[in-house]
Amino acid sequence: MLTYDQWETAEKPSFPSDNETKGALDVLAWAYREYGDEIVYACSFGVEGIVLIDLISQVKPDAEIVFLDTGLHFQETYDTIAKVKEKYPSLCIVMKQPRLTLEEQKAQFGDELWKRDPNKCCELRKVIPLREVLTGVTAWISGLRREQSPTRRHVEYINKDDKFRSIKVCPLIHWTWKDVWNYVYKHDLPYNVLHDRGYPSIGCAPCTAPALDPNDLRSGRWAGQGKTECGLHLA
Ligand code: SF4
């Protein structure tokens, strides 16, 4: 099994990217063969997440999908999760909560921490919870696409993840925004209605606005705060 500790010496698989799913199904088939129940998908339930869930359900119908439930998501996101649960009843969707409730966070760090110190807030409500999830598994799946931002341009299908000392599997690296939506429409998949209201990228409600720049899909995230990533994908 390809593990974090054996990364330097282990043989890495390679996958064709010139097929219908641009390699995604091959990568997922390999990942579930390689890791079995030792892999989870950390899903934000944005549109890329919907595509990945549909692909994963073809390979591993009872796969574990983890949602980092910060307690600050839009109601539309929770509605999307409900629709996905209905469409894919055999998937195991886990709502992972932070250790601190919002009230406890307010008592310890002050009100609306996301306005004063969004990195600390993301650490408490996303990074630490994901670390707790990944402690029990060898690898995780992420919906990163190279096109999304300069910080994601060099992502590979299979990555050594130093932040979580894990293997990060990214099946959608070659997908464009158009590919994602073509797949959703073709297969009539449910998706977050906020996408139709100018939100191409959807995170927590206090830190997500409609995209400011139509050419920058993540320009509505932490707008004006000089932050572009929640920290899950930064070394
Ligand atoms: S996205 Fe905003 S509200 Fe959500 S955890 Fe990060 S800083 Fe906090």
Side-chain angles (χ1 to χ4, degrees), residues 70 72 114 117-119 121-122 125-126 203-204 206-207 221-222 227 230:
T70 61
L72 291 158
W114 48 89
D117 191 348
N119 287 334
C121 186
C122 278
R125 308 203 77 73
K126 290 187 172 181
C204 296
C207 302
R221 304 289 299 276
W222 302 282
K227 176 174 164 74
C230 57

Side-chain angles (χ1 to χ4, degrees), residues 12 31 50 186 206:
K12 319 294 184 306
I50 299 299
K186 182 176 175 187

Side-chain angles (χ1 to χ4, degrees), residues 1-222:
M1 188 191 293
L2 177 58
T3 64
Y4 177 85
D5 289 332
Q6 291 161 357
W7 176 267
E8 311 303 342
T9 53
E11 197 176 323
K12 319 294 184 306
S14 62
F15 305 95
S17 60
D18 57 349
N19 52 30
E20 198 184 341
T21 63
K22 295 191 169 179
L25 265 182
D26 298 288
V27 172
L28 288 168
W30 172 84
Y32 283 101
R33 258 196 331 269
E34 183 81 357
Y35 298 111
D37 292 329
E38 289 289 305
I39 186 168
V40 296
Y41 171 31
C43 182
S44 67
F45 288 85
V47 68
E48 290 92 350
I50 299 299
V51 169
L52 261 184
I53 282 175
D54 192 74
L55 294 172
I56 287 172
S57 73
Q58 296 169 40
V59 172
K60 173 92 169 155
D62 60 347
E64 184 172 347
I65 315 283
V66 174
F67 176 65
L68 299 175
D69 185 5
T70 61
L72 291 158
H73 290 282
F74 292 97
Q75 182 55 47
E76 289 85 345
T77 302
Y78 294 107
D79 294 343
T80 306
I81 295 170
K83 284 187 260 178
V84 168
K85 282 182 176 173
E86 199 178 332
K87 183 170 173 65
Y88 306 95
S90 59
L91 288 176
C92 176
I93 297 179
V94 176
M95 308 291 275
K96 173 66 178 170
Q97 266 116 20
R99 288 194 184 168
L100 295 183
T101 65
L102 285 170
E103 282 307 308
E104 288 167 342
Q105 179 169 301
K106 180 177 169 182
Q108 285 188 35
F109 297 95
D111 202 8
E112 299 186 319
L113 181 60
W114 48 89
K115 285 186 180 165
R116 289 174 289 105
D117 191 348
N119 287 334
K120 183 68 183 174
C121 186
C122 278
E123 173 81 11
L124 292 168
R125 308 203 77 73
K126 290 187 172 181
V127 177
I128 293 174
L130 182 61
R131 181 165 287 126
E132 289 170 357
V133 168
L134 298 185
T135 299
V137 295
T138 307
W140 64 298
I141 297 168
S142 168
L144 298 185
R145 295 182 300 111
R146 288 183 177 175
E147 183 196 62
Q148 280 172 318
S149 69
T151 56
R152 299 181 177 187
R153 213 150 276 164
H154 303 292
V155 179
E156 301 288 347
Y157 285 131
I158 314 296
N159 304 269
K160 180 174 183 253
D161 181 357
D162 292 320
K163 178 153 197 143
F164 294 108
R165 298 183 62 82
S166 184
I167 299 296
K168 184 160 69 174
V169 178
C170 301
L172 299 184
I173 54 173
H174 295 300
W175 285 52
T176 64
W177 187 235
K178 196 173 167 195
D179 292 331
V180 171
W181 281 103
N182 282 346
Y183 188 91
V184 166
Y185 292 137
K186 182 176 175 187
H187 298 279
D188 194 23
L189 302 183
Y191 63 86
N192 194 323
V193 295
L194 291 176
H195 287 306
D196 293 335
R197 299 181 198 154
Y199 294 76
S201 176
I202 303 166
C204 296
C207 302
T208 307
L212 306 174
D213 174 357
N215 296 317
D216 179 358
L217 300 178
R218 291 179 60 80
S219 58
R221 304 289 299 276
W222 302 282

